[in-house]
């Protein structure tokens, strides 16, 4: 009747990306439902490998028929960059779920990215502005903690993830089976966002990112001091500081940091952020204040932290201005756009500094200079010599090993699946999780399928009468040992009800068949029947201490519902017959009584 | 006794004003649930109230008049006031903060488990920012609590009606106070009266709460003042929480109607009062003292509280402007009778306009809603089941539904009309695997279940029965009573009937001979003469009467059981 439920979790990334921080796209099949988690692109590629290979999902047949829904965890392009390609070019018309801030910001980043790819690099076969708009029409916004009923069986719920504005973790649930997907998250509040939080939802599987699987980062305060010191020193000696950032997220945190520092130190060196996007981004932060951290939420009426006094909009011409300055420019991995342009201008001067505040994907200029390369081959065979100082500061808001362990502890999953990290580091974390938390842990390669058997229990309705009867008896003092509940499960279509046997018979219109036994026990005894009955009574009373033994006025004896009568067969005055009568329900006790009485009655104390 | 209350669900910020009295002084230790806008704006309303009250400290307060014998002699309305002895002083800000810190924030459609027994879920009610209706449900029963709901499109997220379907009971309260007024018409009247007064050089006073309808009024004025040529007339919003209220309204994008949400996506502030403030058309002040007295220009429009006209900055404006017939006071809040509010200021020269804006459900909308949602039973306060006393002929001004609504009165306990029959229980997979279902009728299968019941946190779980314990080795001397069987191991019930001929055949097959069958009035008697055994077989009973030969009895028993179904 109840085949054990079967969860399949599939982790899908195209070739080349490996177990790395490339593009996130995970397919989860849970109890017959198919959910795609994130739809990211790889920043390091400019060709087909940029987008996930959606033919993994279904060879033939439409994606809309196969997928029940798509969930986007946050607005970073490695989590949502392939969305218009997926929905408009490959073709998907089902629902796409994301939080309100993600829904607001995602199309802007996509458009920004499209412009760089198509207008600047002249790439063909790319999605259009209209496709981004059409894609966003398929989006359904979710609130934090809202339970969204995707269909009758599938429900999803978002939890706060920190990381960037609007980032969320998602619980996907079908019946009693569930999966939690963390997306990217951080477990320590920073200057503008709070920490991720999840309740003890005990999912069958927790899919967690593991970008910083091995790092246990030093205190945030130290890193901030370090950062400010480096910036300060560089501008003091007249150098220019370039901070490549993504428009939303680290940019705001670092702006808050520099703004307060400039105010305190009374510095006059100009700070700019690249035009358009970042400026606009600050508006989003102002309007989505409930998604920021407690301190900002509390004080925003008096002072909105995202209104900066010292930080001004950047103009391309400023890059050639003499003298020190600090510039925040996008994108964060120096792979295109304004940050790359400024980098090329400033790279030759050793007085200048570039601070990389986040992770860089393999193949990007950012990754190259961080791994120590000082001669870069640019487009058109040009070679760029990097003389400026290169600094890496881990400000990117991912959970470190400690944070990941903490989250696993919070959610208490049956097993953990590590994604979005590098193989070696993941191996380390896997061992740690298995040893310290005793939770089985998986780390599939790209395109690999992990299958987890689950054994969900089956919910049925129990009649309150039966349940209460059992619970009352469960409260009796002698009921220490486990007691058996006895009932009948009625299965009609998909409606399962557990009722008492009497009720089941009644509901089905069946009559009870009574099976009764009467045993004749012959005893040698010359006494009168009444006296005989009395002796039986006192004997049973002494043996059956836990049972209700009664001597009725008509001379018969009862034990619970078993009736014992004494009779004298006429032919032999020396023999008496005890008639023991019981129903099938008292089978054990009845059988016991007859064998007990057969042994005879003890001699009466004289 | 509030210490026995486990949970308080707050529907909207207007219905939480008494919360500090409950959480701080009654021994209440339960949990309070509310949405974030409800808490934030509720805090503003309380903060304003406390601020207004504390501005006018009273050295002493009279209490002797509360004596029933004295109160009876006082003029109306004092003599009609009920339960004056329970009247309390206003709470302090400290109590407000402490009360609010006890609230658990929830979001729309969030399922909140209470003690494993019931689940509560807030739904958008469309009336105010973060206002909610509540669903309280177990696995088999559903109660909806509908309070302060609106079907009109103003700034909040529209009302979620679909989730109210399939309710066993729908508790309906918080209907409009002014069932005869149409809010749209009232807004129009508000604008035209305001324009008329200002054009004639008069001032307009709007007594109001610091949040809610004021956002809609400002939005109307934003569109209206330019076309009416009033763009130079200053709008003043005076309240200790004016700034907070205006700021908070802009950050609750997720709780707003679709139109306003899409503005945030641009990103632009959802409410146009941001632009009114930017262009200096709307100015806000914490009180009439300080900056306001410097900026004050007439003619002007002033929004300020409290709408009862008993305290707050509104009192000053009533006294300042009451003597001139050029000025107008426009009542928009429906909570107070405007005639009573004005009584102490009479005689007044200023014009009084009453255009109450109450967007909550009226009776036409209620009947539409009930038709849509179709609850099995409706429960509502008594006053909704009859026309208002002032308009007793208006039979349309009451709830009309089938079956008739059950009504309740203050301090009355009402038993809801449903009986709980089932509860959810989980069957462990191992146990489920061991069940043997049999089809009794087409489509209906039965399986007997013997299992161990585990109950924890009101969740029930059935586990497979433990394996029979190994017989203990005979270390201890056996006593007779050790062998007494545990009668709590229940035998299944039996059903069916025994066909005599087949039964006899089976007996013969199993080596019984000398079988004699006698017919009786109700069935048959099978005699096994050799064994002196008698088996009475009737339609729904079987009786085996034998000597004390356990082997024989058990054999016969098992043969009989073969013909019967077990439950």
């Amino acid at each position: 009747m109840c085949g054990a439920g079967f969860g399949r979790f599939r982790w899908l990334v195209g070739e080349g990306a490996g177990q790395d921080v490339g593009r996130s796209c995970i397919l989860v099949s849970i109890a017959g439902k198919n959910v795609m988690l994130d739809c990211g692109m790889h920043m390091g590629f400019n060709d087909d490998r940029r987008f996930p290979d959606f033919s993994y999902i279904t060879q033939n047949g439409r994606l809309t028929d196969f997928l029940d829904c798509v969930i986007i965890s946050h607005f970073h392009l490695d989590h949502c960059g392939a969305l218009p390609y997926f929905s408009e070019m490959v073709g998907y018309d089902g629902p796409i779920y994301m939080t309100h801030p993600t829904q607001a910001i995602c199309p802007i980043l996509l458009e920004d990215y499209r412009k760089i790819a198509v207008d600047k690099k002249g790439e063909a076969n790319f999605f259009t502005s209209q496709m981004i708009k059409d894609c966003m029409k398929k989006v359904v916004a979710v609130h934090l903690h809202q339970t969204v009923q995707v269909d009758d069986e599938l429900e999803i719920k978002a939890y706060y993830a920190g990381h960037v504005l609007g980032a969320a973790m998602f619980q996907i649930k079908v019946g009693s089976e569930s999966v939690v997907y963390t997306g990217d998250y951080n477990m320590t509040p920073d200057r503008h966002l709070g920490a991720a939080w999840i309740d003890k939802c005990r999912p069958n599987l927790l899919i967690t990112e593991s970008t910083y699987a091995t790092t246990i980062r030093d205190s945030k305060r130290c890193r901030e001091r370090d950062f400010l010191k480096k910036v300060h020193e560089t501008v003091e000696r007249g150098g220019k500081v370039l901070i490549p950032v993504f428009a939303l997220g680290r940019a705001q945190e670092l702006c808050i940091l520099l703004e307060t520092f400039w105010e305190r130190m009374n510095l006059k060196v100009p700070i700019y952020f690249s035009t358009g996007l970042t400026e606009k981004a600050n508006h989003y932060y102002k309007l989505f204040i409930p998604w920021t951290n407690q301190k900002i939420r509390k004080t925003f009426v008096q002072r909105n932290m995202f209104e900066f006094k010292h930080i001004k909009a950047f103009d391309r011409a400023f890059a050639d201005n003499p003298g020190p300055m600090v510039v925040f420019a996008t994108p964060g991995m120096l792979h295109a756009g304004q940050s790359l342009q400024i980098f090329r201008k400033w790279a030759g001067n050793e007085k200048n500094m570039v601070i990389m505040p986040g992770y860089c994907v393999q193949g990007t200029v950012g990754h190259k200079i961080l791994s120590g390369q000082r001669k870069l081959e640019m487009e058109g065979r040009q070679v760029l010599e990097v003389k400026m100082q290169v600094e890496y500061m881990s400000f990117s808001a991912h959970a470190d090993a400690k944070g990941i362990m903490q989250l696993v502890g919070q959610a208490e999953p049956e097993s953990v699946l590590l994604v979005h990290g590098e193989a070696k580091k993941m191996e380390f974390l896997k061992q740690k999780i298995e040893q310290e938390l005793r939770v089985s842990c998986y780390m599939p390669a790209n395109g690999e399928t992990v299958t987890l058997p689950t054994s969900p229990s089956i919910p049925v309705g129990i009649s309150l009468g039966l349940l209460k009867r059992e619970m009352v008896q469960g409260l009796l003092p002698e009921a220490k040992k486990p007691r058996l509940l006895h009932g009948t499960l009625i299965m009609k279509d998909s409606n399962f009800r557990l009722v008492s046997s009497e009720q089941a018979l009644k509901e089905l219109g069946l009559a009870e068949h009574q099976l009764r036994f009467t045993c004749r026990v012959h005893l040698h005894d010359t006494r009168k029947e009444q006296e005989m009955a009395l002796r039986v009574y006192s004997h049973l009373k002494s043996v059956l201490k836990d049972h209700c033994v009664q001597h009725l006025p008509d001379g018969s004896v009862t034990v619970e519902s078993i009736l014992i009568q004494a009779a004298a067969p006429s032919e032999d005055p020396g023999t008496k017959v005890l008639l023991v009568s019981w129903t099938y329900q008292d089978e054990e006790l009845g059988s016991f009584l007859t064998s007990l009485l057969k042994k005879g009655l003890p001699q009466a104390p004289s | 006794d509030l210490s026995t209350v486990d949970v308080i669900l707050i529907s909207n910020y207007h219905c939480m004003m008494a919360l500090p009295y409950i959480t701080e002084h009654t021994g209440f230790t339960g949990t309070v649930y509310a949405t974030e806008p409800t808490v934030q704006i509720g805090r503003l309303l309380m903060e304003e109230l406390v601020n207004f009250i504390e501005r006018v400290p009273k050295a002493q307060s009279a209490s002797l008049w509360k004596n029933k014998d004295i109160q009876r002699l006082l003029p109306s309305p004092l003599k009609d006031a009920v339960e004056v002895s329970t009247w309390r002083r206003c709470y302090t800000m400290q109590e407000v903060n402490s009360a609010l810190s006890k609230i658990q924030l929830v979001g729309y459609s969030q399922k909140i488990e209470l003690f494993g027994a019931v689940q509560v879920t807030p739904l958008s009610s469309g009336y105010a920012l973060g206002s909610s209706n509540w669903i309280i449900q177990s696995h088999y029963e559903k109660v909806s609590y509908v309070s302060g709901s609106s079907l009109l499109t103003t700034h909040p997220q529209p009302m979620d009606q679909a989730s109210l379907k399939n309710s066993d009971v729908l508790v309906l309260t918080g209907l409009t106070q002014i069932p005869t007024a149409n809010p749209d018409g009232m807004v129009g009247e508000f604008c035209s009266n305001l324009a008329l007064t200002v054009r004639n050089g008069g001032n307009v006073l709007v007594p109001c709460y610091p949040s809610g309808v004021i956002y809609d009024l400002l939005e109307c004025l934003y569109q209206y003042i330019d076309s009416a040529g009033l763009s130079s007339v200053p709008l003043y919003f005076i309240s200790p929480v004016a700034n907070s209220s205006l700021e908070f309204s802009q950050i609750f994008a997720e709780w707003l109607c679709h139109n306003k949400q899409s503005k945030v996506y641009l990103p632009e502030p959802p409410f146009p009062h941001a632009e009114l403030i930017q262009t200096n058309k709307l100015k806000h002040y914490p009180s009439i003292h300080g900056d306001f007295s410097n900026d004050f220009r007439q003619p002007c429009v002033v929004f300020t509280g409290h709408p009862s006209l008993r305290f707050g900055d509104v009192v000053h404006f009533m006294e300042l402007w009451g003597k001139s017939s050029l000025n107008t006071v426009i009542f928009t809040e429906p909570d107070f009778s405007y005639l009573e509010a004005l009584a102490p200021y009479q005689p007044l020269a200023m014009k009084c306009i009453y255009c109450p804006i109450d967007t909550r459900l009226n009776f036409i909308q209620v009947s539409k809603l009930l038709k849509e949602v179709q609850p099995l039973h409706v429960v509502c306060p008594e006053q909704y089941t009859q026309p208002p006393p002032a308009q007793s002929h208006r039979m349309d001004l009451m709830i009309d539904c089938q079956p008739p609504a059950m009504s309740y009165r203050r301090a009355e306990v009402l038993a809801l009309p449903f009986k709980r029959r089932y509860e959810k229980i989980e069957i462990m997979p191992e146990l489920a695997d061991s069940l043997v279902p049999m089809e009794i009728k087409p489509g209906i299968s039965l399986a007997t279940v013997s299992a161990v019941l585990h109950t924890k946190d009101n969740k029930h779980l059935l586990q497979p029965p433990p394996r029979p314990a190994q017989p203990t080795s005979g270390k201890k001397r056996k006593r007779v009573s050790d062998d007494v069987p545990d009668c709590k191991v229940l035998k299944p019930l039996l059903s069916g009937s025994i066909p005599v001929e087949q039964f006899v055949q089976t007996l013969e097959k199993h080596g019984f001979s000398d079988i004699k069958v006698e017919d009786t009035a109700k069935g048959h008697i099978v005699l096994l003469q050799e064994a002196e055994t008698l088996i009475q077989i009737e339609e729904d009973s079987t009786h085996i009467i034998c000597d004390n030969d356990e082997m024989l009895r058990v054999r016969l028993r098992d043969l009989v059981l073969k013909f019967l179904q077990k439950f």
Side-chain angles (χ1 to χ4, degrees), chain A residues 41 52 54-55 77 120 200 215 234 303 359 444 471 510 525 534:
Chain A
M41 50 151 286
F54 294 109
S55 63
L77 290 176
K120 294 220 168 114
K200 194 165 288 186
T215 332
T234 309
R303 185 176 173 207
Y359 187 90
M471 305 228 319
L510 298 174
D525 207 313
L534 203 61

Side-chain angles (χ1 to χ4, degrees), chain A residues 100 103 147 284 291 457-458 460-462 464 485-487 489 491 497 511 513-514 516 518 520 585 587 591, chain B residues 109 140 254 265 421-423 425-427 445 447 449-451 492 494 496 532 542-544 546-547 550 557:
Chain A
H100 282 274
Q103 191 191 0
T147 303
Y284 283 113
W291 285 82
S457 48
I458 290 120
V460 301
I462 183 169
L464 222 60
L485 173 145
H486 188 86
L489 189 63
M491 291 165 271
R497 288 175 305 135
H513 190 104
Q514 243 204 18
R516 177 168 274 282
T518 301
R520 294 183 292 258
Q585 272 64 42
E587 174 73 7
S591 167
Chain B
S109 306
Y140 293 91
E254 290 161 80
Y265 288 1
R421 289 222 179 82
Y422 289 98
E423 202 161 293
I425 191 164
E426 303 257 329
I427 297 184
S445 300
V449 179
S450 285
L494 303 171
E532 284 187 57
T542 299
H543 194 167
I544 299 174
C546 62
D547 268 343
E550 188 67 7
R557 179 193 74 192

Side-chain angles (χ1 to χ4, degrees), chain A residues 291-333:
Chain A
W291 285 82
T292 59
N293 70 23
Q294 195 122 30
K295 191 180 159 209
I296 295 183
R297 289 209 310 261
K298 267 197 170 152
T299 55
F300 89 100
V301 175
Q302 287 78 45
R303 185 176 173 207
N304 198 320
M305 288 290 262
F306 299 102
E307 277 162 17
F308 301 115
K309 266 189 262 165
H310 297 271
I311 303 172
K312 295 174 185 67
F314 182 73
D315 187 290
R316 197 181 302 181
F318 294 173
D320 299 320
N321 282 1
M325 66 175 88
V326 180
V327 175
F328 289 95
T330 55
M333 297 186 192

